[in-house]
Amino acid sequence: MTVYRISQIKNKALFSFQSLQASRFFSQLQPKCSFGIAFDIDGVVLRGRFPIGGSSRALTRLYDDSGSLKVPFLFLTNGGGIPESRRALELSELLGVNILPSQVVQGHSPFKNLLKRFENELIVATGKGEPALVMSEYGFKKVLSLDEYASYFENIDPVSQYKTWTTEQVSTTSCHSVPGYIDSSERVKAAFVISDPVDWGRDIQVLCDILRSGGLPGQTNGHQPPLYFAADDLEYQAAFPSERLGMGAFRIALESIFNRIHHSPLEYVTFGKPNPFVFKNAETILSQFMPSCLATKVDTGSYPFETLYMIGDNPTVDIKGARQAGHPWFSILTRTGVFKGTDNHPEFPADLVVDTVEEAVDYILKREFYS
């Protein structure tokens, strides 16, 4: 496999166009109906709430002069904690382009596929943001945030009196749950980690109580209810200069403790990148934005895209996932994120390494329109 650096590519005549000239030219062209793009968010297009790497300019080039989508693209992130509709509005505001909810695929988006199994069962959801609201918008009828669920059990968190922020947090999230239906004998049928938990100590304690008791804290050991994680990132790039511990770190902590206090090892299912099914799902969603010229190919089950580009900053998540998914995925690593200053990863090398997302989009458009 040949790995290119953007500095090498710029030396070729193919890439001698000035950025502004190329941008004007590409806006007048029609795509070949053969490619799509998946963008990671944190560390690629945003750091915290601030656009990075020329992301706003890069995304603008994927629309025509009327504001209609010219190139199929979506955001493929392991993040979450809020509904896709709200995240789309947030991204639209921050990046200056019109993002549809269907263009936002978060780590917990596949949880909606479990609706048939748990629609009318009592479930708990935890993580930053509004985990219960996320699950209720997917159609789950009996969902409680772990904040509210813990409030039903006096002294379940032995250090709660030292957390001055707990009362306010419960009051703001409980309005998104379905209060009043739980009783002391109802067992939790499943637990969902939607996003990075805020109170690790409390969440590990309460999840251990739920999981080892068979769904009813305080009871003797019972069969463990299913446990689902929206992602398994050990680290991710946020606003702080160095990486922050992610949901994968929380999973490791929970699993380590649970296995020490329970006779059977923790059972769980993880979603999110780098699982290949996430990329297959992204391909299906991107096909919905394809020009009509490829509609027949979708119906026949053949690949509607010649190339799908994954632009990410984490080799062990974005690049690994794209490589495992295989054809038609092409991986692009940006150096603005987790592995800043490195050209590539020895175990999961990208097909292309660039400095910014704007350079990645520039490469893609030139490759597709001039290859």
Side-chain angles (χ1 to χ4, degrees), residues 91-105:
L91 290 169
S92 298
E93 177 183 347
L94 296 175
L95 298 170
V97 293
N98 182 33
I99 305 299
L100 301 174
S102 54
Q103 288 177 277
V104 179
V105 181

Side-chain angles (χ1 to χ4, degrees), residues 23-304:
S23 178
R24 290 174 178 171
F25 187 77
F26 291 136
S27 66
Q28 301 172 1
L29 293 176
Q30 293 298 321
K32 297 187 300 181
C33 302
S34 63
F35 72 102
I37 307 174
F39 296 90
D40 185 28
I41 297 178
D42 297 319
V44 175
V45 299
L46 296 175
R47 178 164 289 130
R49 292 183 58 83
F50 298 97
I52 60 173
S55 55
S56 295
R57 291 189 300 271
L59 292 172
T60 300
R61 297 174 66 183
L62 306 182
Y63 295 80
D64 62 23
D65 293 337
S66 67
S68 299
L69 193 62
K70 183 171 64 174
V71 176
F73 80 89
L74 53 71
F75 295 98
L76 190 61
T77 175
N78 280 353
I82 59 175
E84 286 77 6
S85 57
R86 188 181 299 179
R87 192 70 185 274
L89 290 173
E90 179 184 276
L91 290 169
S92 298
E93 177 183 347
L94 296 175
L95 298 170
V97 293
N98 182 33
I99 305 299
L100 301 174
S102 54
Q103 288 177 277
V104 179
V105 181
Q106 303 186 103
H108 49 68
S109 296
F111 286 171
K112 65 185 70 173
N113 297 327
L114 296 169
L115 181 61
K116 185 176 181 180
R117 181 177 178 185
F118 298 110
E119 180 178 3
N120 296 302
E121 304 286 0
L122 175 61
I123 62 173
V124 296
T126 189
K128 66 183 180 182
E130 299 174 289
L133 175 63
V134 168
M135 297 299 283
S136 64
E137 289 209 356
Y138 290 159
F140 294 91
K141 300 293 195 302
K142 298 176 68 174
V143 53
L144 288 174
S145 69
L146 202 64
D147 292 323
E148 184 170 2
Y149 183 77
S151 71
Y152 285 92
F153 298 89
E154 186 177 3
N155 300 320
I156 195 170
D157 180 5
V159 295
S160 61
Q161 66 267 33
Y162 302 105
K163 302 172 183 176
T164 57
W165 45 266
T166 300
T167 301
E168 180 181 356
Q169 187 178 19
V170 169
S171 65
T172 57
T173 57
S174 60
C175 61
H176 302 306
S177 302
V178 187
Y181 65 77
I182 188 174
D183 61 58
S184 58
S185 63
E186 187 162 12
R187 293 183 180 271
V188 172
K189 297 302 189 298
F192 295 83
V193 183
I194 302 293
S195 52
D196 299 316
V198 176
D199 186 350
W200 279 36
R202 191 277 313 277
D203 286 8
I204 289 174
Q205 176 67 75
V206 177
L207 284 173
C208 283
D209 289 334
I210 293 172
L211 297 172
R212 66 176 173 171
S213 66
L216 189 59
Q219 300 299 306
T220 56
N221 289 343
H223 183 69
Q224 181 201 312
L227 172 64
Y228 300 96
F229 291 89
D232 203 35
D233 295 23
L234 181 62
E235 295 179 310
Y236 69 100
Q237 183 65 59
F240 196 74
S242 60
E243 305 80 54
R244 302 293 84 191
L245 296 177
M247 204 181 309
F250 175 81
R251 191 266 304 162
I252 291 171
L254 172 63
E255 183 176 16
S256 177
I257 293 173
F258 184 88
N259 290 349
R260 291 289 296 272
I261 65 175
H262 195 250
H263 56 79
S264 299
L266 182 68
E267 298 178 0
Y268 57 88
V269 177
T270 60
F271 290 79
K273 299 174 293 186
N275 291 331
F277 81 88
V278 173
F279 290 81
K280 185 62 179 178
N281 181 55
E283 182 181 347
T284 301
I285 296 172
L286 282 167
S287 69
Q288 299 171 9
F289 301 106
M290 281 194 319
S292 58
C293 60
L294 286 186
T296 55
K297 290 188 179 181
V298 177
D299 293 337
T300 61
S302 60
Y303 283 112

Side-chain angles (χ1 to χ4, degrees), residues 5-24:
R5 295 183 178 86
I6 199 67
S7 59
Q8 296 171 321
I9 294 172
K10 287 181 177 178
N11 291 331
K12 298 183 179 180
L14 179 63
F15 295 88
S16 61
F17 294 98
Q18 295 295 322
S19 177
L20 180 60
Q21 293 173 322
S23 178
R24 290 174 178 171

